[in-house]
Amino acid sequence: MKDTIGWGILGPGNIARKFANDLKLSKDGKLVAVASRNIERAQAFAKEYEVEEVFGSYEALFNCDAVSVIYIATPHIGHKEWAIKAMQSGKHVLCEKPLGINLTEVQEMIAVAKENKVFLMEALWSRFNPSIFKIKQIIEEGQLGKVGYIHADFAFYGLDRAEEGRILNPDLAGGSILDIGIYPIFLAYLILGKPRSIQSKSNFYKTGVEVQTSMIFDYEEAQAILYSGLTSNSKMEAEIQGEKGAIFIDPRWHEAEGFTLHVGDKQERYDLPTQGFGYTYEIEETHKCLQAQKLESALWSHQNSIDLIRLLDEVRSCSGVVFPFER
């Protein structure tokens, strides 16, 4: 692996802009190429971020020798296709969440990564957020005792979006579950593991996409009450309750810059501001893995991505959420 790791961005949208800004904060990586199926869009992005290599097709990016790892920032529907083609071209991949639309896609992507001996990680940035990282450490140390309850939500008003866009279009795997419901589900999984059963109920929009989903994850000695929606905003707070104390994560909890620990009559405040937009930590983890010649991260492994997509699949199954291309 070269001293400076060359990155390519596939899909120069809004999230790619945040990623590109945070990549500048890394000492080990540099954005060297960008690709879009709209060359003018790629050129505008390249000018804004001083990117040398500009491509009007994704395939051209895969053939760029200066690129070692590709960040895939397309809508969900393109993750599997473009990640697989990138990996088959020998490129390492950091792919936006969800890694795939369903379990079959994720398993296929992981198989291709192993076959081609390249690094693959789901860009679940909250896993590497300093607050989430510290919270998991506190819980593992036993400061809360046995965790018995988690509440987390993620909602914003999205019904004013274009119906052909990725949020409200079922053909693009739209709806709240895969886009934002993944965050509360991730938190429950990170803290409590896989539940013994799941209940969920969804409401649907006129295009056929799910726009509100309430979930109950039931464990042997705990429950998680989770919600995602596009019909209104929410405070986006999260709480974790244990037998000895509780943690209240600041909104927006999935990108938190702090939390409060309550144990008995004592409160302890943790302020952990993120660098940039908060993508620096998944970037740094990718660099560490590549420099150590690891093909997956121990912090967010292939198995973690499989477990998470199984939970997403089960929530969708309970709520009757099936995309047209899955029928």
Side-chain angles (χ1 to χ4, degrees), residues 34 41-54:
V34 60
R41 193 177 184 204
Q43 288 170 338
F45 189 95
K47 183 177 180 181
E48 184 177 352
Y49 292 99
E50 300 178 339
V51 182
E52 295 175 7
E53 302 284 351
V54 187

Side-chain angles (χ1 to χ4, degrees), residues 156-174:
F156 64 87
Y157 187 75
L159 301 186
D160 55 352
R161 305 289 180 94
E163 291 182 3
E164 65 273 14
R166 70 176 186 86
I167 295 293
L168 298 178
N169 188 342
D171 293 322
L172 297 179

Side-chain angles (χ1 to χ4, degrees), residues 130-143 191:
S131 293
I132 301 295
F133 209 88
K134 183 64 178 178
I135 286 165
K136 184 165 174 60
Q137 180 186 13
I138 287 170
I139 292 170
E140 289 175 345
E141 289 171 352
Q143 293 188 47
I191 304 304

Side-chain angles (χ1 to χ4, degrees), residues 39 102 115 144 150 202 227:
I39 187 63
N102 51 44
E115 179 184 346
L144 294 189
I150 290 176
S202 297
Y227 173 79

Side-chain angles (χ1 to χ4, degrees), residues 1 11 17 55 58 75-77 103 106 130 140 144 151 160 164 166 168 189 195 201 244 293-294 297 306:
M1 181 57 60
R17 281 181 156 74
F55 302 108
Y58 298 153
H76 317 324
I77 195 75
L103 176 62
V106 170
E140 289 175 345
L144 294 189
H151 171 262
D160 55 352
E164 65 273 14
R166 70 176 186 86
L168 298 178
Y189 168 69
K201 183 70 175 177
K244 296 180 182 178
Q293 298 184 322
K294 294 181 179 179
S297 167
I306 288 172

Side-chain angles (χ1 to χ4, degrees), residues 79-89 108-109 112:
H79 289 179
K80 185 192 87 163
E81 177 184 0
W82 299 117
I84 284 176
K85 287 181 177 177
M87 292 186 291
Q88 288 173 337
S89 299
E108 186 177 346
M109 294 164 77
V112 171

Side-chain angles (χ1 to χ4, degrees), residues 139 147-152 184 187-192 219 222-226 238-241:
I139 292 170
V147 173
Y149 172 68
I150 290 176
H151 171 262
L187 186 65
Y189 168 69
L190 183 71
I191 304 304
L192 292 172
Y219 298 82
Q223 287 189 339
I225 311 300
L226 315 172
E239 63 179 285
I240 303 166
Q241 296 280 353

Side-chain angles (χ1 to χ4, degrees), residues 131 134 138 247-251 256-262 266-273:
S131 293
K134 183 64 178 178
I138 287 170
I247 289 173
F248 296 89
I249 312 176
D250 296 353
E257 298 197 349
F259 62 93
T260 305
L261 170 65
H262 295 242
K266 296 180 180 179
Q267 293 186 23
E268 187 172 357
R269 175 69 194 170
Y270 289 83
D271 289 306
L272 298 165

